[in-house]
Amino acid sequence: MATAHTVINNFARKGFKMLGHGCYAAVFDSNVDPNLVYKVGIKSTDPFLSYIQEPSLANNPHFPRVYDIHVGDGWYLVKMERLEPLPSHKLEVSSDISSVVSDDSYTLKYLAPSHELFSIAHQIRALADSLDVKLDLHPGNIMMRGMVPVITD
């Protein structure tokens, strides 16, 4: 039976470059397609899985494109689009998006978020509430697809 750590170690051993990691997952370069990455998680109960499988978000431009999901016993593997980190001069986008999710009326008044960003922010908050988990929005969980911010986690 494969464990998450076995899967992560296998990726590393086979030469996949780790691009980043968090508490519950690591992201690897696909080594084949420069537009793809693999995210390997260590908990099959990770709220990230609920987020990326939420059908109402699939067409939102601020949502990551997911191509395949495999869930094992206590781990998961997701094939998804490769995004770019927030540029250092755009880090305020993270706090702006966090404010939208928090429903900060001051920020909403002056940021004037797009309908799609406002929509995904409210859906993320509702999903977090329904799963009884804490929102985890920070610059590492917001990346860019060209000029479009994408909430990855």
Side-chain angles (χ1 to χ4, degrees):
M1 174 165 90
T3 67
H5 296 290
T6 303
V7 175
I8 288 172
N9 289 338
N10 283 342
F11 266 82
R13 203 170 27 256
K14 291 182 180 191
F16 288 87
K17 179 182 173 191
M18 185 184 294
L19 301 174
H21 64 86
C23 292
Y24 300 115
V27 176
F28 292 90
D29 186 27
S30 78
N31 284 1
V32 177
D33 186 335
N35 299 310
L36 296 176
V37 296
Y38 295 105
K39 182 171 182 171
V40 181
I42 63 170
K43 283 178 50 177
S44 57
T45 58
D46 186 343
F48 168 75
L49 289 172
S50 296
Y51 172 60
I52 63 167
Q53 294 180 84
E54 177 55 47
S56 64
L57 297 175
N59 293 321
N60 191 304
H62 303 284
F63 186 75
R65 295 178 184 136
V66 174
Y67 303 108
D68 197 13
I69 302 169
H70 180 80
V71 180
D73 188 21
W75 60 276
Y76 63 86
L77 174 65
V78 176
K79 180 178 172 182
M80 60 193 299
E81 74 175 310
R82 183 184 191 126
L83 299 162
E84 297 302 319
L86 280 173
S88 58
H89 68 282
K90 293 229 181 224
L91 291 179
E92 76 280 355
V93 168
S94 175
S95 60
D96 289 345
I97 291 172
S98 295
S99 296
V100 172
V101 171
S102 300
D103 213 8
D104 179 337
S105 58
Y106 176 82
T107 301
L108 290 177
K109 182 177 178 181
Y110 293 99
L111 178 62
S114 70
H115 169 73
E116 291 88 359
L117 184 57
F118 190 76
S119 172
I120 197 171
H122 282 282
Q123 288 172 306
I124 287 170
R125 187 174 63 213
L127 184 60
D129 290 347
S130 73
L131 297 172
D132 196 27
V133 296
K134 173 177 105 50
L135 287 172
D136 186 28
L137 281 176
H138 56 79
N141 285 346
I142 301 169
M143 301 187 81
M144 300 296 288
R145 179 188 306 118
M147 298 301 294
V148 177
V150 176
I151 301 172
T152 60
D153 200 347

